[in-house]
Amino acid sequence: MPELPEVEVTRRSIAPYLAGAVVRSVRMGKPLRWPLGCAPDTLQGWAVGQTQRRGKYLWLPLETPNSSGMLGSPTAAVEGDSAGGGLLMHLGMSGSLAWHALPGPAGIHDHFDLVTDRGTLRLTDPRRFGAVVWSSALTEQPAQKLLQRLGPEPFDAALTPLAFHASLQRHRSPIKGVLLAGEAVVGAGNIYACEALFHAKINPRLASDKVSRPRAQALLAAVRGTLARAMSVGGSTLRDFKDAHGMAGEFQAEAQVYGREGLACRVCATPVRRIVQAQRSTFWCPQCQKR
DNA sequence: AGTTAAACCTGGTTGC
DNA sequence: TGCAACCAGGTTTAAC
């Protein structure tokens, strides 16, 4: 489900609640994509820092609580001198996070609860492609291994049109798949890759290395514009995406091509077409995206 | 080395 | 109504 806008919308909806919250307990449901990587009880007593995002991952730093006392006995003092770490979370295809002041009983698709002194962060993920992984730091394993292949952030000023074009030049496969791979830029999943290609008027089947410099510049602008617009309207809610307080996204209503097979293109009225590329549906307008 | 299929899961929708 | 087939926001791993 969640592409970068949905993950960022989620981050913004949980960060103020999590910052400074002290972990009381952790509840695990069915196995997710990867094991947590630590005994759940060892997280007790740590305070959550400022929630960050990298690509479609969320990073919840766990630090030593600065206000000492008040809590009975932080059992965090693990053997020796653990200096904290954090939780790297991914929402996979069907995951979402919810914040509950008073959590109800866990449902069959609730596979991770981070219970804190301020409330509970709950991961609901029917397909269980998501993950929660403990890591001693973003730069250490296993976080490092998961993040290392990510390309630049879309709104990183260091990602210039020239650099983006150079990345596209390294691949001969269709541009749609290259966007999805997230090596040239992270964040555009199936919805926003389709939408960005439409706005840039680029045929999704065009070989990546055949995208000219000006067209690469237009594509980068389209990726940025699409992701920014999606974030501003709360992301896309196709089936079940909600932010941590149950707010649905609105972007799907203004999609130009995604999910519109057979419907008239909003620009030229030509029927939107669906093809399969790299095992994923690609929606595009054969008239607006001729080449 | 680069590109593409298979795999991980569950559930909703469609069509016979 | 029942059931098979297909579809879905992602990413790693194995195989051409």
Side-chain angles (χ1 to χ4, degrees), chain A residues 46 62-64 81-85 136:
Chain A
W46 292 104
L62 293 177
E63 308 152 348
T64 316
D81 50 330
S82 173
S136 59

Side-chain angles (χ1 to χ4, degrees), chain A residues 26 29 36 46 49-50 53 71 74 77 92-93 135 150 152 192 203 215 235 263 274 280:
Chain A
V26 169
L36 179 59
W46 292 104
Q50 199 63 42
R53 179 190 57 73
L71 273 178
M93 201 81 131
S135 193
L150 298 187
Y192 303 116
N203 188 318
R215 302 192 83 205
L263 299 177
R274 182 177 80 93
R280 309 294 297 279

Side-chain angles (χ1 to χ4, degrees), chain A residues 107-256:
Chain A
I108 57 172
H109 298 309
D110 298 334
H111 301 303
F112 181 86
D113 280 357
L114 188 71
V115 183
T116 77
D117 59 337
R118 298 185 184 177
T120 295
L121 183 70
R122 172 168 287 173
L123 172 66
T124 304
D125 185 3
R127 292 178 73 177
R128 289 189 283 127
F129 288 170
V132 183
V133 176
W134 185 87
S135 193
S136 59
L138 272 177
T139 52
E140 297 292 328
Q141 306 299 359
Q144 170 60 21
K145 179 174 161 52
L146 296 172
L147 300 179
Q148 65 180 0
R149 67 190 70 198
L150 298 187
E153 285 290 320
F155 299 103
D156 184 346
L159 178 58
T160 63
L162 205 64
F164 184 62
H165 179 250
S167 289
L168 298 188
Q169 289 290 107
R170 297 189 195 106
H171 303 275
R172 282 181 250 193
S173 50
I175 182 64
K176 162 74 185 316
V178 171
L179 271 184
L180 278 187
E183 188 183 312
V185 60
V186 290
N190 209 33
I191 298 175
Y192 303 116
C194 291
E195 293 297 307
L197 286 167
F198 174 84
H199 287 291
K201 299 180 165 59
I202 294 174
N203 188 318
R205 293 186 288 202
L206 178 66
S208 179
D209 63 345
K210 301 296 187 203
V211 178
S212 68
R213 232 163 75 179
R215 302 192 83 205
Q217 178 165 7
L219 181 55
L220 179 58
V223 168
R224 286 173 164 159
T226 303
L227 296 180
R229 173 62 189 165
M231 282 188 274
S232 74
V233 296
S236 297
T237 298
L238 294 190
R239 167 171 280 112
D240 50 16
F241 173 73
K242 304 271 172 51
D243 77 2
H245 311 293
M247 195 68 76
E250 305 286 345
F251 185 86
Q252 70 284 353
E254 54 189 81
Q256 301 295 302

